[in-house]
Amino acid sequence: MVRLTRTATTAVALTLALALPVAAASTASATQAQTPTASAAALQTASALSSPSSPAADTARSGRARLPLPTGPYGVGSSVLHLVDRSRTDPWVPSADARELMVTLHYPAAGHASGRPARYATTEEAKALVRAYDLEPAVQAEKLAAMRTHSRVDARPAKGKHPLVVLSPGFSVSRYTLTSLAEDLASRGYIVASVDHAYESNGISLPDGRLLTCVACTALGEGGVHPSVSTTTRAKDVSFVLDRLTGRHPAWRHAKSIDTKRVGMAGHSIGGASAATAMAGDPRVKAGVNMDGSFWEPLPADGLGGRPFMLLGTDDDTHRPGGEDKSWDQTWAGLGGWKRWLTVAGSEHFTFSDSPVITDNFGLPPQSPLPADRAVSITRAYVAAFFDEHLRGVAQPLLAGPSSANPEVKFHNP
């Protein structure tokens, strides 16, 4: 397991990376009372499931790891973009020619979405993750990279205009760790842009064969750089992505499918904190979700201008009201519009990513009482309900209060 260390007086709380579940068994999820750690029970797991719908059962039948099926009525298309912003100096590698981003677009496809299946990750990206966190022999990079997705490369998009949701991953992990959520949102009629932020991941493959590694991991650890550099940079990345997707000369050939007036953002860990920063700086982002990330920048005096925001985190001493991560209480107080604070019993920090699916598929030891299928179902349901209500204007009873169908989800300060 990789740890970045700083003095305890800085009270930095940043969950940085995936780690061996056995090594992470005693770690807690990220808080502002801790020094930065590589993981809070990362690659979190559930017990091996015997249910036919579980990833483990599917893997046992097919011999191949796979993501859960999306739940919406649409097939899913997938396109990958390499975007280059030459107007900015990269904060992590100032000598770089430009700020480079990789973006995967998942979108509702016409019909049954014909075409070749999209890969989960490149082999080089998977190797970088497995090597960095010593996940072999339990996780083979080639099998992780080839994990079955449910999207088809460059499939013809469904007719009409669709809301856009930007996804930002946790620090040191790549955009593919949010694929299960991205595919599900796309199957429900959203266009989803998952962004990889240069030099903030263990490995990001570029079309020319380069692999960008996590320079920022050292900068935030040994270099003492404050995590707000990441959230500020990511917010600018998101604005640039929106420019390139919705501007006069869009980078995606199906950009006319995007409803530019209905844009939201969600992120995991520091990606979730970046959602608030992005909203503060860009009025195009109408709604945001932070999945278990500490906030690193204060809100503006007027909050987010009344725009809706949701906190979705672990139900523990970290992210309950009054918990160790004081940034949630501080940010909550500054949110003036519609807001929800939800915690999930039995969850760990990486519950809200693909980690439960990965650990279940590869038979890693469980670190969370919450089964993988429940982790996926809850994350998908509440994130989708939030965007349905605030980008589509469809009231969602799921967000009104506790549900007997989801007893794990606790509402605070509604």
mmCIF file of all heavy atoms in Angstrom, residues 268-296:
data_model
loop_
_atom_site.group_PDB
_atom_site.id
_atom_site.type_symbol
_atom_site.label_atom_id
_atom_site.label_comp_id
_atom_site.label_asym_id
_atom_site.label_seq_id
_atom_site.Cartn_x
_atom_site.Cartn_y
_atom_site.Cartn_z
ATOM 1 N N HIS A 268 -16.189 11.253 -7.380
ATOM 2 C CA HIS A 268 -15.845 10.452 -6.217
ATOM 3 C C HIS A 268 -14.610 11.036 -5.546
ATOM 4 O O HIS A 268 -13.662 11.450 -6.213
ATOM 5 C CB HIS A 268 -15.568 9.004 -6.639
ATOM 6 C CG HIS A 268 -15.040 8.154 -5.530
ATOM 7 N ND1 HIS A 268 -13.821 7.540 -5.582
ATOM 8 C CD2 HIS A 268 -15.565 7.846 -4.317
ATOM 9 C CE1 HIS A 268 -13.613 6.874 -4.451
ATOM 10 N NE2 HIS A 268 -14.652 7.043 -3.672
ATOM 11 N N SER A 269 -14.637 11.107 -4.213
ATOM 12 C CA SER A 269 -13.505 11.581 -3.434
ATOM 13 C C SER A 269 -13.136 13.006 -3.858
ATOM 14 O O SER A 269 -14.002 13.874 -3.893
ATOM 15 C CB SER A 269 -12.334 10.603 -3.578
ATOM 16 O OG SER A 269 -11.362 10.808 -2.580
ATOM 17 N N ILE A 270 -11.898 13.260 -4.237
ATOM 18 C CA ILE A 270 -11.539 14.624 -4.619
ATOM 19 C C ILE A 270 -12.272 15.059 -5.885
ATOM 20 O O ILE A 270 -12.463 16.248 -6.127
ATOM 21 C CB ILE A 270 -10.013 14.767 -4.780
ATOM 22 C CG1 ILE A 270 -9.601 16.226 -4.582
ATOM 23 C CG2 ILE A 270 -9.532 14.199 -6.105
ATOM 24 C CD1 ILE A 270 -8.104 16.416 -4.377
ATOM 25 N N GLY A 271 -12.724 14.090 -6.684
ATOM 26 C CA GLY A 271 -13.568 14.419 -7.832
ATOM 27 C C GLY A 271 -14.903 14.991 -7.409
ATOM 28 O O GLY A 271 -15.471 15.852 -8.087
ATOM 29 N N GLY A 272 -15.428 14.514 -6.264
ATOM 30 C CA GLY A 272 -16.669 15.070 -5.738
ATOM 31 C C GLY A 272 -16.488 16.476 -5.203
ATOM 32 O O GLY A 272 -17.338 17.355 -5.397
ATOM 33 N N ALA A 273 -15.355 16.701 -4.508
ATOM 34 C CA ALA A 273 -15.050 18.057 -4.054
ATOM 35 C C ALA A 273 -14.902 18.997 -5.241
ATOM 36 O O ALA A 273 -15.319 20.155 -5.192
ATOM 37 C CB ALA A 273 -13.770 18.044 -3.225
ATOM 38 N N SER A 274 -14.340 18.482 -6.323
ATOM 39 C CA SER A 274 -14.154 19.299 -7.523
ATOM 40 C C SER A 274 -15.476 19.701 -8.154
ATOM 41 O O SER A 274 -15.547 20.716 -8.859
ATOM 42 C CB SER A 274 -13.297 18.542 -8.541
ATOM 43 O OG SER A 274 -12.026 18.234 -8.001
ATOM 44 N N ALA A 275 -16.521 18.909 -7.921
ATOM 45 C CA ALA A 275 -17.839 19.268 -8.459
ATOM 46 C C ALA A 275 -18.300 20.599 -7.881
ATOM 47 O O ALA A 275 -18.845 21.453 -8.595
ATOM 48 C CB ALA A 275 -18.851 18.166 -8.167
ATOM 49 N N ALA A 276 -18.089 20.798 -6.584
ATOM 50 C CA ALA A 276 -18.481 22.073 -5.971
ATOM 51 C C ALA A 276 -17.631 23.219 -6.504
ATOM 52 O O ALA A 276 -18.136 24.306 -6.794
ATOM 53 C CB ALA A 276 -18.356 21.983 -4.454
ATOM 54 N N THR A 277 -16.323 22.980 -6.648
ATOM 55 C CA THR A 277 -15.443 24.020 -7.174
ATOM 56 C C THR A 277 -15.810 24.373 -8.612
ATOM 57 O O THR A 277 -15.806 25.547 -8.999
ATOM 58 C CB THR A 277 -13.975 23.563 -7.102
ATOM 59 O OG1 THR A 277 -13.668 23.181 -5.759
ATOM 60 C CG2 THR A 277 -13.030 24.668 -7.534
ATOM 61 N N ALA A 278 -16.134 23.350 -9.402
ATOM 62 C CA ALA A 278 -16.535 23.593 -10.786
ATOM 63 C C ALA A 278 -17.821 24.411 -10.844
ATOM 64 O O ALA A 278 -17.940 25.347 -11.646
ATOM 65 C CB ALA A 278 -16.717 22.273 -11.524
ATOM 66 N N MET A 279 -18.790 24.086 -9.992
ATOM 67 C CA MET A 279 -20.038 24.838 -9.973
ATOM 68 C C MET A 279 -19.808 26.282 -9.552
ATOM 69 O O MET A 279 -20.427 27.208 -10.092
ATOM 70 C CB MET A 279 -21.037 24.165 -9.033
ATOM 71 C CG MET A 279 -21.570 22.836 -9.547
ATOM 72 S SD MET A 279 -22.743 22.068 -8.393
ATOM 73 C CE MET A 279 -24.139 23.188 -8.532
ATOM 74 N N ALA A 280 -18.908 26.476 -8.593
ATOM 75 C CA ALA A 280 -18.628 27.838 -8.127
ATOM 76 C C ALA A 280 -18.042 28.704 -9.234
ATOM 77 O O ALA A 280 -18.267 29.923 -9.269
ATOM 78 C CB ALA A 280 -17.676 27.789 -6.934
ATOM 79 N N GLY A 281 -17.306 28.086 -10.148
ATOM 80 C CA GLY A 281 -16.638 28.851 -11.191
ATOM 81 C C GLY A 281 -17.300 28.836 -12.551
ATOM 82 O O GLY A 281 -16.900 29.590 -13.439
ATOM 83 N N ASP A 282 -18.306 27.981 -12.727
ATOM 84 C CA ASP A 282 -18.909 27.835 -14.053
ATOM 85 C C ASP A 282 -20.414 27.674 -13.929
ATOM 86 O O ASP A 282 -20.914 26.618 -13.520
ATOM 87 C CB ASP A 282 -18.315 26.619 -14.772
ATOM 88 C CG ASP A 282 -18.595 26.620 -16.268
ATOM 89 O OD1 ASP A 282 -19.682 27.073 -16.662
ATOM 90 O OD2 ASP A 282 -17.731 26.152 -17.040
ATOM 91 N N PRO A 283 -21.168 28.700 -14.272
ATOM 92 C CA PRO A 283 -22.634 28.644 -14.117
ATOM 93 C C PRO A 283 -23.305 27.630 -15.029
ATOM 94 O O PRO A 283 -24.495 27.342 -14.850
ATOM 95 C CB PRO A 283 -23.074 30.069 -14.461
ATOM 96 C CG PRO A 283 -21.978 30.621 -15.315
ATOM 97 C CD PRO A 283 -20.710 29.996 -14.813
ATOM 98 N N ARG A 284 -22.576 27.097 -15.997
ATOM 99 C CA ARG A 284 -23.172 26.070 -16.864
ATOM 100 C C ARG A 284 -23.472 24.788 -16.110
ATOM 101 O O ARG A 284 -24.334 24.003 -16.533
ATOM 102 C CB ARG A 284 -22.235 25.777 -18.043
ATOM 103 C CG ARG A 284 -22.095 26.917 -19.032
ATOM 104 C CD ARG A 284 -21.072 26.605 -20.114
ATOM 105 N NE ARG A 284 -19.710 26.497 -19.577
ATOM 106 C CZ ARG A 284 -18.634 26.273 -20.327
ATOM 107 N NH1 ARG A 284 -18.758 26.126 -21.645
ATOM 108 N NH2 ARG A 284 -17.431 26.208 -19.767
ATOM 109 N N VAL A 285 -22.763 24.533 -15.016
ATOM 110 C CA VAL A 285 -22.977 23.315 -14.230
ATOM 111 C C VAL A 285 -24.117 23.579 -13.249
ATOM 112 O O VAL A 285 -23.970 24.341 -12.292
ATOM 113 C CB VAL A 285 -21.703 22.889 -13.491
ATOM 114 C CG1 VAL A 285 -21.923 21.533 -12.809
ATOM 115 C CG2 VAL A 285 -20.515 22.806 -14.450
ATOM 116 N N LYS A 286 -25.252 22.967 -13.486
ATOM 117 C CA LYS A 286 -26.483 23.309 -12.777
ATOM 118 C C LYS A 286 -26.708 22.522 -11.494
ATOM 119 O O LYS A 286 -27.522 22.930 -10.651
ATOM 120 C CB LYS A 286 -27.691 23.073 -13.698
ATOM 121 C CG LYS A 286 -27.618 23.799 -15.036
ATOM 122 C CD LYS A 286 -27.563 25.299 -14.881
ATOM 123 C CE LYS A 286 -27.620 26.008 -16.234
ATOM 124 N NZ LYS A 286 -27.445 27.471 -16.094
ATOM 125 N N ALA A 287 -26.029 21.384 -11.319
ATOM 126 C CA ALA A 287 -26.283 20.532 -10.163
ATOM 127 C C ALA A 287 -25.069 19.657 -9.923
ATOM 128 O O ALA A 287 -24.365 19.283 -10.873
ATOM 129 C CB ALA A 287 -27.521 19.662 -10.402
ATOM 130 N N GLY A 288 -24.803 19.321 -8.640
ATOM 131 C CA GLY A 288 -23.596 18.571 -8.346
ATOM 132 C C GLY A 288 -23.761 17.556 -7.233
ATOM 133 O O GLY A 288 -24.599 17.711 -6.335
ATOM 134 N N VAL A 289 -22.918 16.499 -7.294
ATOM 135 C CA VAL A 289 -22.916 15.435 -6.284
ATOM 136 C C VAL A 289 -21.470 15.178 -5.855
ATOM 137 O O VAL A 289 -20.587 14.991 -6.696
ATOM 138 C CB VAL A 289 -23.509 14.122 -6.834
ATOM 139 C CG1 VAL A 289 -23.485 13.029 -5.755
ATOM 140 C CG2 VAL A 289 -24.926 14.334 -7.342
ATOM 141 N N ASN A 290 -21.258 15.147 -4.552
ATOM 142 C CA ASN A 290 -19.963 14.763 -3.993
ATOM 143 C C ASN A 290 -20.109 13.404 -3.332
ATOM 144 O O ASN A 290 -20.805 13.270 -2.322
ATOM 145 C CB ASN A 290 -19.482 15.796 -2.974
ATOM 146 C CG ASN A 290 -18.152 15.417 -2.325
ATOM 147 O OD1 ASN A 290 -17.589 14.356 -2.580
ATOM 148 N ND2 ASN A 290 -17.652 16.289 -1.475
ATOM 149 N N MET A 291 -19.432 12.394 -3.888
ATOM 150 C CA MET A 291 -19.467 11.052 -3.324
ATOM 151 C C MET A 291 -18.239 10.839 -2.439
ATOM 152 O O MET A 291 -17.167 10.472 -2.900
ATOM 153 C CB MET A 291 -19.536 10.009 -4.442
ATOM 154 C CG MET A 291 -20.803 10.111 -5.287
ATOM 155 S SD MET A 291 -20.950 8.834 -6.568
ATOM 156 C CE MET A 291 -19.678 9.351 -7.735
ATOM 157 N N ASP A 292 -18.399 11.142 -1.176
ATOM 158 C CA ASP A 292 -17.452 10.819 -0.107
ATOM 159 C C ASP A 292 -16.109 11.542 -0.206
ATOM 160 O O ASP A 292 -15.086 11.006 0.235
ATOM 161 C CB ASP A 292 -17.219 9.303 -0.021
ATOM 162 C CG ASP A 292 -16.901 8.861 1.410
ATOM 163 O OD1 ASP A 292 -17.694 9.190 2.296
ATOM 164 O OD2 ASP A 292 -15.860 8.208 1.633
ATOM 165 N N GLY A 293 -16.103 12.748 -0.736
ATOM 166 C CA GLY A 293 -14.856 13.498 -0.819
ATOM 167 C C GLY A 293 -14.797 14.669 0.136
ATOM 168 O O GLY A 293 -15.773 15.408 0.301
ATOM 169 N N SER A 294 -13.652 14.860 0.791
ATOM 170 C CA SER A 294 -13.434 16.058 1.604
ATOM 171 C C SER A 294 -13.360 17.289 0.697
ATOM 172 O O SER A 294 -12.815 17.219 -0.402
ATOM 173 C CB SER A 294 -12.126 15.942 2.388
ATOM 174 O OG SER A 294 -12.181 14.894 3.327
ATOM 175 N N PHE A 295 -13.920 18.390 1.173
ATOM 176 C CA PHE A 295 -13.841 19.648 0.428
ATOM 177 C C PHE A 295 -12.535 20.356 0.788
ATOM 178 O O PHE A 295 -12.129 20.384 1.947
ATOM 179 C CB PHE A 295 -15.025 20.553 0.764
ATOM 180 C CG PHE A 295 -16.349 20.023 0.299
ATOM 181 C CD1 PHE A 295 -17.165 19.296 1.160
ATOM 182 C CD2 PHE A 295 -16.788 20.232 -1.003
ATOM 183 C CE1 PHE A 295 -18.393 18.811 0.741
ATOM 184 C CE2 PHE A 295 -18.015 19.744 -1.436
ATOM 185 C CZ PHE A 295 -18.812 19.028 -0.564
ATOM 186 N N TRP A 296 -11.914 20.965 -0.215
ATOM 187 C CA TRP A 296 -10.626 21.622 -0.002
ATOM 188 C C TRP A 296 -10.658 23.120 -0.253
ATOM 189 O O TRP A 296 -9.647 23.796 -0.056
ATOM 190 C CB TRP A 296 -9.575 20.972 -0.897
ATOM 191 C CG TRP A 296 -9.390 19.539 -0.528
ATOM 192 C CD1 TRP A 296 -9.825 18.447 -1.225
ATOM 193 C CD2 TRP A 296 -8.778 19.022 0.652
ATOM 194 N NE1 TRP A 296 -9.517 17.284 -0.558
ATOM 195 C CE2 TRP A 296 -8.866 17.614 0.599
ATOM 196 C CE3 TRP A 296 -8.150 19.619 1.747
ATOM 197 C CZ2 TRP A 296 -8.360 16.794 1.598
ATOM 198 C CZ3 TRP A 296 -7.646 18.795 2.751
ATOM 199 C CH2 TRP A 296 -7.753 17.405 2.663
#
